[in-house]
Amino acid sequence: MARIEYNYPLLSHNTFGIEAYADRFVAYDSVEDLRQVVRRLRADCPDVPVLHIGGGSNLLFLSDFKGVVLHSAIGGIECEEQPDGIRLRVGAAVVWDDLVAYCVEHGFYGLENLSFIPGEVGASAVQNIGAYGAEAKDVITAVEAVGLRDGEVRMFDASACGYAYRKSIFKEEWRGRYAVTHVHFRLSATFRPNLDYGGIREALSAEGIRPEEVTAQDLRRVVIAIRKAKLPDPKVQGNAGSFFMNPVVSREVYEAIKGDYPDVPHYEVDAERVKIPAGWLIERCGWKGRSLGRAAVHDRQALVLVNKGSATGRDILALCEAVRADVLSRFGISISPEVNIIGGCA
């Protein structure tokens, strides 16, 4: 049965640690409960704003939310072995890293590089989360969702989800139209390690582990250690992980930057495009470790903006805009927030 609360504090539902309130907060634990909630809302107050949230690790509230916040409690991991691999159907409220740990423990492979990413499984399908050379879209086969306008249940094949770098149709064209209830994955019973990203090989070598000997447990442990070394714990210092997306630029733009910075890190996208780490651009603009009021750029990872204590969402947004302006001025590149900004846009 759905649980409804009024004037509900959202502090524990956003990892930035922003104090904000929702007029109404509705938690549900089944698809049928969600359908009933949506239909009741649309019948009684069809124009009320509705926001569906997960673990809050990708949210920045600029103000109180004058509407209804929905939150899923749908859990469960269903597994089926098929000739083409392991098929999983996972509830949207399952903690993402709990899923990764479960899969590694049971010999279901393909999620190791996505270890220790905060948030819930439902958000993985919306954000197309990624890290260390892997993305959720690599293993998602389908998404189940409920329409927030009509309460109807729908199933979307992965090919219909519009997946791209940190994007999906749920985040773009269909933003706010659906609540993800379950995500379907296809994993492998054979471990094929992806080691060519983010210092993974170096970290394994430091432990005396050769590439041909690495296990899924080794890879998961190393990825977690790398993330912990770079990223602040949101329980200690509010943050949403990587705040900006890495920009994809034309080869001409990349070559121009390389002329001034021969050591610029980059990742080949295709013959015409190159991805440049946003953290590198921000650091070159002198923002790493700098503060603007109660918000700051993290001193170990310039891609992360942090709440130094009692910052408001607008404090974080002001820092975001200052950083973006400097990167645009110096490099001619516009970097975009990866975080979902509620109450305004950047």
Side-chain angles (χ1 to χ4, degrees), residues 99-157:
L99 172 63
V100 180
Y102 175 91
C103 290
V104 169
E105 179 183 348
H106 286 80
F108 307 154
Y109 304 120
L111 300 182
E112 304 81 32
N113 291 52
L114 302 177
S115 292
F116 211 59
I117 293 178
E120 297 175 351
V121 165
S124 74
V126 175
Q127 303 292 341
N128 184 27
I129 59 173
Y132 303 107
E135 292 180 292
K137 72 175 181 61
D138 300 335
V139 290
I140 290 176
T141 59
V143 177
E144 295 178 46
V146 168
L148 294 180
R149 297 177 180 177
D150 56 14
E152 292 302 313
V153 177
R154 292 176 174 84
M155 170 87 83
F156 299 99
D157 186 81

Short mmCIF file of all heavy atoms in Angstrom, two decimals, residues 99-157:
data_model
loop_
_atom_site.label_atom_id
_atom_site.label_comp_id
_atom_site.label_asym_id
_atom_site.label_seq_id
_atom_site.Cartn_x
_atom_site.Cartn_y
_atom_site.Cartn_z
N LEU A 99 23.24 -4.71 -6.36
CA LEU A 99 23.06 -5.56 -7.54
C LEU A 99 24.41 -6.01 -8.09
O LEU A 99 24.59 -7.19 -8.42
CB LEU A 99 22.28 -4.81 -8.63
CG LEU A 99 22.19 -5.53 -9.98
CD1 LEU A 99 21.42 -6.83 -9.85
CD2 LEU A 99 21.55 -4.61 -11.03
N VAL A 100 25.36 -5.07 -8.20
CA VAL A 100 26.69 -5.44 -8.71
C VAL A 100 27.33 -6.50 -7.81
O VAL A 100 27.87 -7.50 -8.30
CB VAL A 100 27.60 -4.20 -8.81
CG1 VAL A 100 28.97 -4.60 -9.35
CG2 VAL A 100 26.98 -3.14 -9.72
N ALA A 101 27.26 -6.31 -6.51
CA ALA A 101 27.84 -7.27 -5.57
C ALA A 101 27.17 -8.64 -5.72
O ALA A 101 27.84 -9.68 -5.72
CB ALA A 101 27.69 -6.76 -4.14
N TYR A 102 25.84 -8.65 -5.85
CA TYR A 102 25.10 -9.89 -6.02
C TYR A 102 25.55 -10.62 -7.28
O TYR A 102 25.76 -11.85 -7.26
CB TYR A 102 23.61 -9.56 -6.10
CG TYR A 102 22.71 -10.74 -6.40
CD1 TYR A 102 22.15 -11.49 -5.37
CD2 TYR A 102 22.40 -11.08 -7.71
CE1 TYR A 102 21.31 -12.57 -5.65
CE2 TYR A 102 21.57 -12.15 -8.00
CZ TYR A 102 21.03 -12.89 -6.97
OH TYR A 102 20.21 -13.95 -7.25
N CYS A 103 25.71 -9.88 -8.37
CA CYS A 103 26.09 -10.50 -9.64
C CYS A 103 27.51 -11.07 -9.59
O CYS A 103 27.76 -12.19 -10.07
CB CYS A 103 25.96 -9.49 -10.77
SG CYS A 103 24.24 -9.07 -11.15
N VAL A 104 28.43 -10.33 -9.02
CA VAL A 104 29.81 -10.83 -8.92
C VAL A 104 29.83 -12.09 -8.05
O VAL A 104 30.49 -13.09 -8.38
CB VAL A 104 30.73 -9.74 -8.34
CG1 VAL A 104 32.10 -10.32 -7.97
CG2 VAL A 104 30.90 -8.60 -9.35
N GLU A 105 29.09 -12.08 -6.96
CA GLU A 105 29.05 -13.23 -6.06
C GLU A 105 28.49 -14.48 -6.74
O GLU A 105 28.93 -15.60 -6.49
CB GLU A 105 28.20 -12.90 -4.83
CG GLU A 105 28.06 -14.03 -3.82
CD GLU A 105 27.16 -13.67 -2.65
OE1 GLU A 105 26.82 -12.49 -2.50
OE2 GLU A 105 26.79 -14.59 -1.90
N HIS A 106 27.53 -14.28 -7.64
CA HIS A 106 26.86 -15.41 -8.28
C HIS A 106 27.44 -15.76 -9.65
O HIS A 106 26.92 -16.66 -10.33
CB HIS A 106 25.36 -15.12 -8.42
CG HIS A 106 24.60 -15.20 -7.13
ND1 HIS A 106 24.61 -14.17 -6.21
CD2 HIS A 106 23.85 -16.19 -6.59
CE1 HIS A 106 23.86 -14.52 -5.17
NE2 HIS A 106 23.40 -15.74 -5.37
N GLY A 107 28.50 -15.09 -10.06
CA GLY A 107 29.12 -15.42 -11.34
C GLY A 107 28.37 -14.90 -12.55
O GLY A 107 28.42 -15.50 -13.62
N PHE A 108 27.69 -13.74 -12.38
CA PHE A 108 27.01 -13.07 -13.48
C PHE A 108 27.86 -11.85 -13.83
O PHE A 108 27.97 -10.92 -13.03
CB PHE A 108 25.60 -12.63 -13.10
CG PHE A 108 24.74 -13.71 -12.51
CD1 PHE A 108 23.70 -13.39 -11.64
CD2 PHE A 108 24.94 -15.05 -12.84
CE1 PHE A 108 22.89 -14.38 -11.11
CE2 PHE A 108 24.13 -16.05 -12.30
CZ PHE A 108 23.11 -15.71 -11.44
N TYR A 109 28.44 -11.81 -15.01
CA TYR A 109 29.47 -10.82 -15.30
C TYR A 109 29.03 -9.75 -16.30
O TYR A 109 28.21 -10.01 -17.18
CB TYR A 109 30.72 -11.53 -15.83
CG TYR A 109 31.23 -12.59 -14.88
CD1 TYR A 109 31.32 -13.93 -15.27
CD2 TYR A 109 31.60 -12.26 -13.58
CE1 TYR A 109 31.78 -14.91 -14.40
CE2 TYR A 109 32.05 -13.23 -12.70
CZ TYR A 109 32.14 -14.55 -13.11
OH TYR A 109 32.59 -15.51 -12.23
N GLY A 110 29.61 -8.56 -16.12
CA GLY A 110 29.33 -7.44 -17.01
C GLY A 110 29.12 -6.13 -16.29
O GLY A 110 29.12 -5.06 -16.90
N LEU A 111 28.97 -6.18 -14.96
CA LEU A 111 28.71 -4.96 -14.18
C LEU A 111 29.90 -4.52 -13.33
O LEU A 111 29.83 -3.48 -12.67
CB LEU A 111 27.51 -5.18 -13.24
CG LEU A 111 26.17 -5.52 -13.88
CD1 LEU A 111 25.10 -5.66 -12.80
CD2 LEU A 111 25.76 -4.47 -14.89
N GLU A 112 31.01 -5.28 -13.37
CA GLU A 112 32.11 -5.04 -12.43
C GLU A 112 32.63 -3.60 -12.48
O GLU A 112 32.92 -2.99 -11.45
CB GLU A 112 33.26 -6.00 -12.71
CG GLU A 112 32.89 -7.47 -12.68
CD GLU A 112 32.25 -7.93 -13.97
OE1 GLU A 112 32.61 -7.40 -15.05
OE2 GLU A 112 31.39 -8.83 -13.91
N ASN A 113 32.78 -3.05 -13.68
CA ASN A 113 33.33 -1.70 -13.82
C ASN A 113 32.38 -0.62 -13.31
O ASN A 113 32.78 0.53 -13.13
CB ASN A 113 33.69 -1.42 -15.27
CG ASN A 113 34.87 -2.23 -15.76
OD1 ASN A 113 34.89 -3.45 -15.61
ND2 ASN A 113 35.87 -1.57 -16.32
N LEU A 114 31.14 -1.00 -13.08
CA LEU A 114 30.14 -0.05 -12.59
C LEU A 114 29.95 -0.18 -11.07
O LEU A 114 28.96 0.30 -10.52
CB LEU A 114 28.80 -0.29 -13.29
CG LEU A 114 28.85 -0.17 -14.82
CD1 LEU A 114 27.49 -0.50 -15.43
CD2 LEU A 114 29.30 1.22 -15.25
N SER A 115 30.91 -0.79 -10.42
CA SER A 115 30.85 -0.94 -8.97
C SER A 115 30.88 0.41 -8.26
O SER A 115 31.53 1.36 -8.70
CB SER A 115 32.04 -1.78 -8.47
OG SER A 115 31.96 -3.11 -8.90
N PHE A 116 30.17 0.47 -7.14
CA PHE A 116 30.20 1.58 -6.19
C PHE A 116 29.60 2.88 -6.74
O PHE A 116 29.80 3.95 -6.18
CB PHE A 116 31.63 1.83 -5.72
CG PHE A 116 31.71 2.35 -4.30
CD1 PHE A 116 31.18 1.61 -3.25
CD2 PHE A 116 32.30 3.57 -4.01
CE1 PHE A 116 31.24 2.09 -1.95
CE2 PHE A 116 32.37 4.06 -2.71
CZ PHE A 116 31.83 3.31 -1.68
N ILE A 117 28.87 2.80 -7.86
CA ILE A 117 28.13 3.97 -8.31
C ILE A 117 26.90 4.10 -7.42
O ILE A 117 26.17 3.13 -7.22
CB ILE A 117 27.71 3.82 -9.79
CG1 ILE A 117 28.95 3.84 -10.68
CG2 ILE A 117 26.75 4.93 -10.20
CD1 ILE A 117 28.65 3.64 -12.15
N PRO A 118 26.66 5.27 -6.84
CA PRO A 118 25.53 5.43 -5.94
C PRO A 118 24.20 5.42 -6.71
O PRO A 118 24.17 5.59 -7.93
CB PRO A 118 25.78 6.79 -5.29
CG PRO A 118 26.58 7.54 -6.30
CD PRO A 118 27.46 6.52 -6.97
N GLY A 119 23.12 5.23 -5.96
CA GLY A 119 21.80 5.29 -6.58
C GLY A 119 21.14 3.93 -6.67
O GLY A 119 21.64 2.93 -6.16
N GLU A 120 19.99 3.92 -7.33
CA GLU A 120 19.17 2.72 -7.43
C GLU A 120 19.08 2.24 -8.87
O GLU A 120 19.43 2.96 -9.81
CB GLU A 120 17.78 3.02 -6.86
CG GLU A 120 17.82 3.37 -5.38
CD GLU A 120 16.48 3.79 -4.81
OE1 GLU A 120 15.52 3.98 -5.60
OE2 GLU A 120 16.39 3.96 -3.58
N VAL A 121 18.60 1.02 -9.04
CA VAL A 121 18.58 0.39 -10.35
C VAL A 121 17.70 1.16 -11.34
O VAL A 121 18.04 1.29 -12.52
CB VAL A 121 18.10 -1.07 -10.22
CG1 VAL A 121 17.72 -1.66 -11.57
CG2 VAL A 121 19.20 -1.91 -9.56
N GLY A 122 16.57 1.68 -10.88
CA GLY A 122 15.71 2.43 -11.79
C GLY A 122 16.42 3.60 -12.43
O GLY A 122 16.26 3.87 -13.63
N ALA A 123 17.24 4.30 -11.65
CA ALA A 123 17.97 5.45 -12.17
C ALA A 123 19.02 5.03 -13.19
O ALA A 123 19.36 5.81 -14.09
CB ALA A 123 18.63 6.21 -11.03
N SER A 124 19.53 3.81 -13.07
CA SER A 124 20.54 3.36 -14.03
C SER A 124 20.00 3.36 -15.45
O SER A 124 20.72 3.64 -16.41
CB SER A 124 21.05 1.96 -13.66
OG SER A 124 20.09 0.95 -13.96
N ALA A 125 18.71 3.04 -15.58
CA ALA A 125 18.09 3.00 -16.90
C ALA A 125 17.72 4.38 -17.41
O ALA A 125 17.61 4.59 -18.62
CB ALA A 125 16.83 2.12 -16.85
N VAL A 126 17.53 5.32 -16.50
CA VAL A 126 17.20 6.69 -16.90
C VAL A 126 18.46 7.46 -17.26
O VAL A 126 18.54 8.15 -18.28
CB VAL A 126 16.44 7.41 -15.77
CG1 VAL A 126 16.19 8.87 -16.13
CG2 VAL A 126 15.12 6.70 -15.48
N GLN A 127 19.50 7.34 -16.42
CA GLN A 127 20.71 8.12 -16.59
C GLN A 127 21.72 7.47 -17.53
O GLN A 127 22.65 8.13 -17.97
CB GLN A 127 21.39 8.33 -15.22
CG GLN A 127 20.52 8.99 -14.18
CD GLN A 127 20.22 10.44 -14.48
OE1 GLN A 127 20.89 11.08 -15.27
NE2 GLN A 127 19.16 10.96 -13.87
N ASN A 128 21.54 6.17 -17.81
CA ASN A 128 22.58 5.40 -18.50
C ASN A 128 23.91 5.62 -17.79
O ASN A 128 24.87 6.14 -18.36
CB ASN A 128 22.69 5.77 -19.98
CG ASN A 128 23.71 4.90 -20.71
OD1 ASN A 128 23.96 3.76 -20.30
ND2 ASN A 128 24.30 5.43 -21.76
N ILE A 129 23.94 5.21 -16.53
CA ILE A 129 25.15 5.40 -15.72
C ILE A 129 26.34 4.71 -16.38
O ILE A 129 26.19 3.73 -17.11
CB ILE A 129 24.94 4.86 -14.29
CG1 ILE A 129 24.60 3.37 -14.31
CG2 ILE A 129 23.87 5.67 -13.57
CD1 ILE A 129 24.56 2.73 -12.95
N GLY A 130 27.53 5.24 -16.11
CA GLY A 130 28.72 4.66 -16.69
C GLY A 130 29.96 5.01 -15.91
O GLY A 130 29.99 6.00 -15.17
N ALA A 131 30.99 4.19 -16.07
CA ALA A 131 32.28 4.43 -15.42
C ALA A 131 33.28 3.41 -15.95
O ALA A 131 32.92 2.27 -16.26
CB ALA A 131 32.17 4.31 -13.89
N TYR A 132 34.53 3.84 -16.06
CA TYR A 132 35.65 2.96 -16.37
C TYR A 132 35.39 2.09 -17.61
O TYR A 132 35.62 0.89 -17.62
CB TYR A 132 36.00 2.10 -15.15
CG TYR A 132 36.33 2.95 -13.95
CD1 TYR A 132 35.44 3.05 -12.89
CD2 TYR A 132 37.49 3.71 -13.92
CE1 TYR A 132 35.71 3.89 -11.81
CE2 TYR A 132 37.77 4.54 -12.85
CZ TYR A 132 36.89 4.63 -11.81
OH TYR A 132 37.14 5.46 -10.75
N GLY A 133 34.90 2.77 -18.66
CA GLY A 133 34.74 2.11 -19.94
C GLY A 133 33.50 1.27 -20.10
O GLY A 133 33.37 0.54 -21.09
N ALA A 134 32.56 1.35 -19.17
CA ALA A 134 31.32 0.58 -19.26
C ALA A 134 30.13 1.51 -19.04
O ALA A 134 30.23 2.53 -18.36
CB ALA A 134 31.30 -0.54 -18.23
N GLU A 135 28.99 1.14 -19.63
CA GLU A 135 27.75 1.88 -19.45
C GLU A 135 26.61 0.90 -19.22
O GLU A 135 26.65 -0.25 -19.66
CB GLU A 135 27.43 2.73 -20.69
CG GLU A 135 28.39 3.88 -20.92
CD GLU A 135 28.01 4.68 -22.16
OE1 GLU A 135 28.13 4.14 -23.27
OE2 GLU A 135 27.56 5.83 -22.00
N ALA A 136 25.56 1.38 -18.54
CA ALA A 136 24.41 0.52 -18.27
C ALA A 136 23.79 0.00 -19.56
O ALA A 136 23.33 -1.14 -19.63
CB ALA A 136 23.38 1.28 -17.44
N LYS A 137 23.78 0.83 -20.59
CA LYS A 137 23.17 0.44 -21.86
C LYS A 137 23.82 -0.80 -22.47
O LYS A 137 23.21 -1.50 -23.29
CB LYS A 137 23.22 1.58 -22.87
CG LYS A 137 24.61 1.88 -23.42
CD LYS A 137 24.58 2.94 -24.49
CE LYS A 137 25.96 3.24 -25.07
NZ LYS A 137 26.58 2.05 -25.71
N ASP A 138 25.06 -1.10 -22.06
CA ASP A 138 25.76 -2.27 -22.60
C ASP A 138 25.09 -3.57 -22.19
O ASP A 138 25.26 -4.60 -22.85
CB ASP A 138 27.21 -2.29 -22.12
CG ASP A 138 28.00 -1.06 -22.53
OD1 ASP A 138 27.64 -0.44 -23.55
OD2 ASP A 138 28.98 -0.73 -21.84
N VAL A 139 24.34 -3.53 -21.08
CA VAL A 139 23.75 -4.76 -20.54
C VAL A 139 22.24 -4.69 -20.35
O VAL A 139 21.61 -5.70 -20.03
CB VAL A 139 24.43 -5.15 -19.20
CG1 VAL A 139 25.86 -5.63 -19.43
CG2 VAL A 139 24.43 -3.97 -18.22
N ILE A 140 21.64 -3.52 -20.52
CA ILE A 140 20.18 -3.40 -20.39
C ILE A 140 19.52 -3.94 -21.66
O ILE A 140 19.92 -3.60 -22.78
CB ILE A 140 19.76 -1.94 -20.16
CG1 ILE A 140 20.18 -1.48 -18.76
CG2 ILE A 140 18.25 -1.77 -20.32
CD1 ILE A 140 19.89 -0.01 -18.48
N THR A 141 18.51 -4.77 -21.49
CA THR A 141 17.76 -5.30 -22.64
C THR A 141 16.36 -4.72 -22.73
O THR A 141 15.79 -4.63 -23.83
CB THR A 141 17.65 -6.83 -22.58
OG1 THR A 141 16.99 -7.21 -21.36
CG2 THR A 141 19.05 -7.47 -22.63
N ALA A 142 15.77 -4.33 -21.60
CA ALA A 142 14.42 -3.78 -21.62
C ALA A 142 14.15 -3.03 -20.32
O ALA A 142 14.83 -3.26 -19.31
CB ALA A 142 13.38 -4.89 -21.81
N VAL A 143 13.15 -2.17 -20.37
CA VAL A 143 12.77 -1.37 -19.21
C VAL A 143 11.25 -1.42 -19.06
O VAL A 143 10.51 -1.18 -20.02
CB VAL A 143 13.23 0.09 -19.36
CG1 VAL A 143 12.74 0.94 -18.18
CG2 VAL A 143 14.74 0.18 -19.50
N GLU A 144 10.79 -1.74 -17.85
CA GLU A 144 9.36 -1.69 -17.55
C GLU A 144 9.07 -0.37 -16.84
O GLU A 144 9.84 0.07 -15.97
CB GLU A 144 8.95 -2.85 -16.65
CG GLU A 144 9.09 -4.22 -17.27
CD GLU A 144 8.71 -5.32 -16.30
OE1 GLU A 144 7.65 -5.20 -15.63
OE2 GLU A 144 9.47 -6.30 -16.19
N ALA A 145 7.95 0.25 -17.20
CA ALA A 145 7.63 1.55 -16.63
C ALA A 145 6.12 1.74 -16.55
O ALA A 145 5.34 1.05 -17.22
CB ALA A 145 8.25 2.66 -17.47
N VAL A 146 5.72 2.70 -15.72
CA VAL A 146 4.31 3.10 -15.61
C VAL A 146 4.20 4.55 -16.04
O VAL A 146 4.98 5.40 -15.60
CB VAL A 146 3.80 2.92 -14.17
CG1 VAL A 146 2.45 3.61 -13.97
CG2 VAL A 146 3.69 1.44 -13.82
N GLY A 147 3.24 4.84 -16.90
CA GLY A 147 3.04 6.21 -17.35
C GLY A 147 2.51 7.08 -16.23
O GLY A 147 1.55 6.72 -15.54
N LEU A 148 3.13 8.24 -16.03
CA LEU A 148 2.71 9.13 -14.95
C LEU A 148 1.55 10.02 -15.35
O LEU A 148 1.08 10.83 -14.55
CB LEU A 148 3.91 9.99 -14.50
CG LEU A 148 5.05 9.20 -13.85
CD1 LEU A 148 6.19 10.14 -13.45
CD2 LEU A 148 4.56 8.42 -12.63
N ARG A 149 1.07 9.86 -16.58
CA ARG A 149 -0.12 10.59 -17.02
C ARG A 149 -1.37 9.71 -17.02
O ARG A 149 -2.48 10.20 -16.82
CB ARG A 149 0.10 11.14 -18.43
CG ARG A 149 1.24 12.16 -18.51
CD ARG A 149 1.46 12.62 -19.94
NE ARG A 149 2.55 13.59 -20.03
CZ ARG A 149 3.00 14.11 -21.16
NH1 ARG A 149 2.45 13.75 -22.32
NH2 ARG A 149 3.99 14.98 -21.15
N ASP A 150 -1.17 8.41 -17.29
CA ASP A 150 -2.33 7.53 -17.43
C ASP A 150 -2.29 6.28 -16.55
O ASP A 150 -3.26 5.52 -16.50
CB ASP A 150 -2.51 7.11 -18.89
CG ASP A 150 -1.26 6.44 -19.46
OD1 ASP A 150 -0.37 6.06 -18.68
OD2 ASP A 150 -1.18 6.32 -20.70
N GLY A 151 -1.15 6.01 -15.89
CA GLY A 151 -1.04 4.83 -15.05
C GLY A 151 -0.92 3.52 -15.80
O GLY A 151 -1.02 2.45 -15.19
N GLU A 152 -0.68 3.58 -17.09
CA GLU A 152 -0.57 2.36 -17.89
C GLU A 152 0.83 1.76 -17.79
O GLU A 152 1.83 2.49 -17.73
CB GLU A 152 -0.92 2.64 -19.35
CG GLU A 152 -2.38 2.99 -19.57
CD GLU A 152 -3.32 1.90 -19.11
OE1 GLU A 152 -3.07 0.72 -19.44
OE2 GLU A 152 -4.29 2.22 -18.38
N VAL A 153 0.89 0.42 -17.80
CA VAL A 153 2.16 -0.30 -17.75
C VAL A 153 2.70 -0.49 -19.15
O VAL A 153 1.96 -0.87 -20.06
CB VAL A 153 1.98 -1.67 -17.07
CG1 VAL A 153 3.29 -2.45 -17.09
CG2 VAL A 153 1.47 -1.51 -15.65
N ARG A 154 3.99 -0.21 -19.33
CA ARG A 154 4.61 -0.36 -20.64
C ARG A 154 5.97 -1.05 -20.50
O ARG A 154 6.63 -0.95 -19.47
CB ARG A 154 4.79 0.99 -21.32
CG ARG A 154 3.47 1.64 -21.72
CD ARG A 154 3.68 3.02 -22.32
NE ARG A 154 2.45 3.58 -22.83
CZ ARG A 154 1.54 4.22 -22.12
NH1 ARG A 154 1.71 4.36 -20.81
NH2 ARG A 154 0.44 4.70 -22.66
N MET A 155 6.33 -1.74 -21.57
CA MET A 155 7.65 -2.38 -21.66
C MET A 155 8.37 -1.80 -22.86
O MET A 155 7.84 -1.78 -23.97
CB MET A 155 7.49 -3.90 -21.82
CG MET A 155 8.80 -4.62 -22.16
SD MET A 155 9.75 -5.09 -20.72
CE MET A 155 8.93 -6.62 -20.28
N PHE A 156 9.59 -1.31 -22.64
CA PHE A 156 10.38 -0.71 -23.71
C PHE A 156 11.63 -1.55 -23.96
O PHE A 156 12.42 -1.80 -23.04
CB PHE A 156 10.79 0.71 -23.36
CG PHE A 156 9.64 1.65 -23.13
CD1 PHE A 156 9.23 1.95 -21.84
CD2 PHE A 156 8.96 2.21 -24.20
CE1 PHE A 156 8.16 2.82 -21.63
CE2 PHE A 156 7.89 3.07 -24.00
CZ PHE A 156 7.48 3.38 -22.71
N ASP A 157 11.79 -1.99 -25.20
CA ASP A 157 13.04 -2.64 -25.58
C ASP A 157 14.17 -1.62 -25.48
O ASP A 157 13.95 -0.42 -25.70
CB ASP A 157 12.92 -3.18 -27.00
CG ASP A 157 14.13 -3.98 -27.41
OD1 ASP A 157 14.21 -5.15 -27.04
OD2 ASP A 157 15.01 -3.41 -28.10
#
